[in-house]
Amino acid sequence: MGKDDFIFKVHRLKKTSVMRRLAKTEGAGVKGAVGVLRVKGKQIELEVDDPEATPPNFAKRIRKFLSLRGHILKVCVVSATGELLEEGGDDDADELAKKNITQHIDPSALVELDADLEKVSKKFKALTGALKKSLKSAPPVHREKLMVAVNYYQQAIALKSPKRAMQAVKVVKKLIACTPSGENTRGQLAKAGSDPVKLSKLKGLATTLSARAATDPAFLDRNYKGMQAMRSAMRNALTQKPSPEVAQLLREIKSGMDMAVASHPKAGED
């Protein structure tokens, strides 16, 4: 577990020590719980090895983590002796919200509402191909953001809220566009052209690329050319003598790319 993310790893055969190590490599912090998971109908029971080391609100966080992925389950955290340590609620909040909202919908507006939902649905379906690619290539934290947006969209459709659904579609589209990959990197560079100001706005993408490349050699290999192209673009933009603020961002991006690609076997050949 970390301040800004939540890693949940489960395996039917691997030892808990292995799963904890895998989770820690993806998490931003050192806190976490290790134990055994049991599924009983619509309830999950987590038996933790060390109750004192278990983070607060653990059951609620796991329930939220699962609900974002479409699994509405009650979560119980217990000790090795079977003592109940914490519960993660058993009410389907999404269903309750749906009931509360639909009570105020004017029946005469349902036809128009369905037509609006259909328009939004078509926009979302047009993104599914790119969404699948992004989910496959994105680092854990970015993938989590995509999943939150997708589930927000699904909930908005269930609640018959075109406005909320459209908001979710826009967020999904934006997240897809900034998913770190060689294809996206070149696409973003093409949009920015040689404009120093537009190039400086790629700082977020560059930071994510650098972080992923530093821990994943295969990712670096796939995206090496795109990252090299970003280095060149920043170097060329700096020759245009942009404002001090923009120049600082360009230098930071270039520096990050320099460090990220340094470990690639072809780095010395460029």
Side-chain angles (χ1 to χ4, degrees), residues 194-212:
S194 58
D195 187 333
V197 175
K198 291 182 179 179
L199 287 168
S200 69
K201 293 180 180 179
L202 299 181
K203 178 70 186 296
L205 174 60
T207 299
T208 307
L209 279 168
S210 298
R212 182 75 187 275

Side-chain angles (χ1 to χ4, degrees), residues 200-250:
S200 69
K201 293 180 180 179
L202 299 181
K203 178 70 186 296
L205 174 60
T207 299
T208 307
L209 279 168
S210 298
R212 182 75 187 275
T215 58
D216 188 344
F219 178 86
L220 172 58
D221 190 54
R222 291 195 304 272
N223 297 284
Y224 179 71
K225 290 183 178 179
M227 295 169 75
Q228 284 286 50
M230 183 174 283
R231 288 178 70 199
S232 298
M234 300 306 146
R235 184 168 56 245
N236 293 335
L238 283 166
T239 64
Q240 299 181 42
K241 297 182 179 180
S243 69
E245 294 81 7
V246 171
Q248 178 62 28
L249 288 171
L250 295 173

